[in-house]
Amino acid sequence: MLFTVPEIHYALTPLFSALFFLYAETHYSFKGIYSRLKKPEPEIIVDAPHRLEPGHELPLLLLIKDAHTYPIQLHRVIVEKFYPEAHETQEFEIEREGIDSRFWHRLFSVSLRRDFEGVLPLDVTIQYSVNGVAKQARNDNYARTSHAPLEVVVASQALPKTAGWHFGEFHCHTSFTDDQVEFGAPLAATRQLARVMGLNFFCATDHSYDLDDDPHNYLKKDPLLRKWQALWQEVGALNADNSGFVIVPGEEVSAGNHKNRNVHFLILNNPTFLPGDGDGAERWFRTRPTASIESVLQRSNSNSAAFAAHPLISPPLLERMLVRRGKWEAPDFEHPGLHGLQIWNGSDAGFEEGKRAWINLLLNGRRIFISAGNDAHGNFNRYRQIGFPFLTMQENHHQVFGRVRTAVFVDQQLTLDSLLMAIRNGRMVVTDGPFLDLRIISHDGQTGRPGDTLSGQTLQFDCVCQSSAEFGELQSFKIYAGCFKTKEESLLRNIEAFPAPFLHKDSFVEAKLQPGYVRAELYTERDGQRFKCLTNPVWFNI
Ligand SMILES: [Zn+2]
Ligand SMILES: [Zn+2]
């Protein structure tokens, strides 16, 4: 068969985009290849937070996509709650609401038994009709997913932390991504689901090559950058209600590394749009990076923050070959404007490699920080993705919004400015459960937390290690001292026995520290599953 170049481009675009998954968009099919997932119906998806902090009702998010092409009437939403002893049903009557917009969503507030704690499976049945024909879907209407129940951890205790710390999702995608195979959740709904998980902020970091699309046609660029403007307007309006929750406007910029391969770069709170579409697969055979890491940093203003996104995760072979994807490498971290590395990206992939690269930078005298996010693509409970090529749907529990978290220390009111200031100064720890407050007091009475610098050789350490039944008992607590002279880290403290299972306070004096830094790690375990918290460093004697 003969293809013209534009046809090849058009036909293969979803192939590339399928590599970056959000909620799966199933209406796009290869030209000439029958998509077994395609149905003459809009996509219908129910989502819920994977975890519910005490004191909140459970919000269920119902998303209906592409009803402008496939209009439906919505009749009823039925939630079945599978408590261990019995199940309960809650119905939401919708009065045959006609839905014919491109993107429709609503939050339903589900009431739970007050005394219940633990994992609650939920089945959500959506009753609707298409051209008068009654239909129903369970949890989603995809053709080849499990339709398995959603599972919500109903927590009996709040996320462990001490005063002044705020949890957040550092890397996620929202409804500002909407193309051939993927779409995310709206900002306001994302905020509501994030809040009930126990978070205080999230960074909206959609891809640069999605944020500059024409709002009505994702295959065209918009010279007016209307999506970018809309992002800032919506974030501004949501943050203005001073609800104690902050949305950080940002983007995941595709930039060129030192080998001129496309890597991802989180730029937070920079009002000027920074283009980058080398790996957006929007221009066939044109995969050269739009701008280098250096030039992206030069164009970021002083109120923004710049973090290497999932820097040491190897892109799949297909992405390396087709869209010139690469990894961050040693020379790429040298740029002085780089604040940090988002080494934790929802799973263990690339974590140890990222940690090693970070420690190497620290030992060479760099003030550089780590952060954690999930790169979640709309998935709050379960990860649904389109398999390759459009024949199966895959689901797993990786890269779920809010599962690994960055905690930021802000001891004043939490605002976009105070949060960004703390992020730029590295006042952060990363965790998927336990919490570690590393506090050090110098001989002149100054208190240092991660990101701070203290003077003097005699330092009083005051550490709090915290966990809960949800994240398991304390297993080990380690403080590492990094020495600039020997360029080595040594173990300053190693505790592996704890008198109480979930809370440990450790105070001691250290008198002979060499110029360098200290950082700490805490590990817990529950039913064979390990959880951890890593702090950023406190520097001294520099
Ligand atoms: Zn990325
Ligand atoms: Zn991402």
Side-chain angles (χ1 to χ4, degrees), residues 510-528:
E510 189 62 42
K512 289 187 248 91
L513 285 164
Q514 297 293 315
Y517 64 86
V518 292
R519 59 174 194 86
E521 299 179 0
L522 177 65
Y523 294 88
T524 63
E525 193 178 321
R526 194 211 62 216
D527 303 333

Side-chain angles (χ1 to χ4, degrees), residues 171 173 205 207 252 310 375 377:
H171 180 171
H173 297 261
T205 50
H207 288 291
E252 183 173 14
H310 45 74
D375 209 350
H377 294 80

Side-chain angles (χ1 to χ4, degrees), residues 269-280:
N269 196 38
N270 192 57
T272 312
F273 177 73
L274 300 166
D277 63 357
D279 57 351

Side-chain angles (χ1 to χ4, degrees), residues 62 212 243 267 275 286 306 309 327 343 392 485 526 532-533:
L62 174 60
D212 64 357
S243 61
I267 304 291
R286 292 176 64 194
K327 284 194 287 194
I343 61 168
T392 57
K485 206 163 127 203
R526 194 211 62 216
K532 58 183 179 256
C533 177

Side-chain angles (χ1 to χ4, degrees), residues 188-230:
T190 302
R191 178 172 76 164
Q192 183 56 17
L193 269 64
R195 195 198 297 271
V196 303
M197 287 179 196
L199 305 191
N200 304 100
F201 73 92
F202 71 85
C203 305
T205 50
D206 289 291
H207 288 291
S208 44
Y209 51 73
D210 289 318
L211 286 166
D212 64 357
D213 288 347
D214 185 302
H216 309 293
N217 180 356
Y218 47 71
L219 295 170
K220 268 172 64 182
K221 293 255 168 272
D222 180 16
L224 301 173
L225 294 171
R226 279 167 291 180
K227 283 177 80 170
W228 177 249
Q229 312 295 347

Side-chain angles (χ1 to χ4, degrees), residues 133-403:
V133 180
K135 306 223 166 196
Q136 68 176 29
R138 190 157 50 88
N139 302 325
D140 60 61
N141 71 336
Y142 291 139
R144 288 181 172 259
T145 51
S146 65
H147 303 285
L150 301 169
E151 285 187 347
V152 179
V153 175
V154 180
S156 59
Q157 282 176 281
L159 290 174
K161 66 171 181 177
T162 53
W165 289 90
H166 305 271
F167 289 110
E169 166 61 77
F170 209 82
H171 180 171
C172 72
H173 297 261
T174 75
S175 57
F176 284 90
T177 300
D178 174 11
D179 58 28
Q180 301 94 320
V181 291
E182 43 185 38
F183 60 98
L187 293 178
T190 302
R191 178 172 76 164
Q192 183 56 17
L193 269 64
R195 195 198 297 271
V196 303
M197 287 179 196
L199 305 191
N200 304 100
F201 73 92
F202 71 85
C203 305
T205 50
D206 289 291
H207 288 291
S208 44
Y209 51 73
D210 289 318
L211 286 166
D212 64 357
D213 288 347
D214 185 302
H216 309 293
N217 180 356
Y218 47 71
L219 295 170
K220 268 172 64 182
K221 293 255 168 272
D222 180 16
L224 301 173
L225 294 171
R226 279 167 291 180
K227 283 177 80 170
W228 177 249
Q229 312 295 347
L231 167 71
W232 279 75
Q233 258 166 27
E234 268 186 51
V235 167
L238 288 165
N239 284 346
D241 66 9
N242 284 323
S243 61
F245 194 101
V246 172
I247 303 175
V248 178
E251 59 173 315
E252 183 173 14
V253 183
S254 295
N257 72 1
H258 74 115
K259 288 183 177 155
N260 214 21
R261 298 190 75 86
N262 294 297
V263 294
H264 290 171
F265 202 173
L266 299 178
I267 304 291
L268 310 177
N269 196 38
N270 192 57
T272 312
F273 177 73
L274 300 166
D277 63 357
D279 57 351
E282 290 171 335
R283 300 166 305 161
W284 189 232
F285 294 130
R286 292 176 64 194
T287 58
R288 291 188 81 76
T290 311
S292 65
I293 289 169
E294 192 170 14
S295 75
V296 168
L297 283 168
Q298 277 164 359
R299 296 187 58 198
S300 306
N301 82 7
S302 60
N303 294 322
S304 65
F307 280 72
H310 45 74
L312 272 293
I313 293 182
S314 295
L317 180 69
L318 214 66
E319 292 184 28
R320 295 206 297 271
M321 284 166 48
L322 295 178
V323 290
R324 207 199 276 251
R325 285 281 312 277
K327 284 194 287 194
W328 285 71
E329 296 181 17
D332 303 317
F333 298 121
E334 294 302 318
H335 302 288
L338 185 67
H339 294 102
L341 284 62
Q342 182 230 325
I343 61 168
W344 206 350
N345 201 49
S347 73
D348 287 339
F351 177 84
E352 286 301 327
E353 296 86 342
K355 185 178 152 190
R356 270 200 297 279
W358 171 58
I359 291 169
N360 199 35
L361 291 163
L362 295 178
L363 289 171
N364 282 293
R366 270 296 289 282
R367 279 183 65 85
I368 197 157
F369 315 116
I370 50 169
S371 68
N374 297 278
D375 209 350
H377 294 80
N379 303 289
F380 294 94
N381 195 277
R382 176 162 68 220
Y383 177 60
R384 300 167 169 115
Q385 72 175 46
I386 295 185
F388 184 79
F390 283 19
L391 294 176
T392 57
M393 299 278 298
Q394 298 170 3
E395 292 176 285
N396 63 42
H397 291 264
H398 296 310
Q399 303 197 262
V400 167
F401 186 101
R403 207 185 63 79

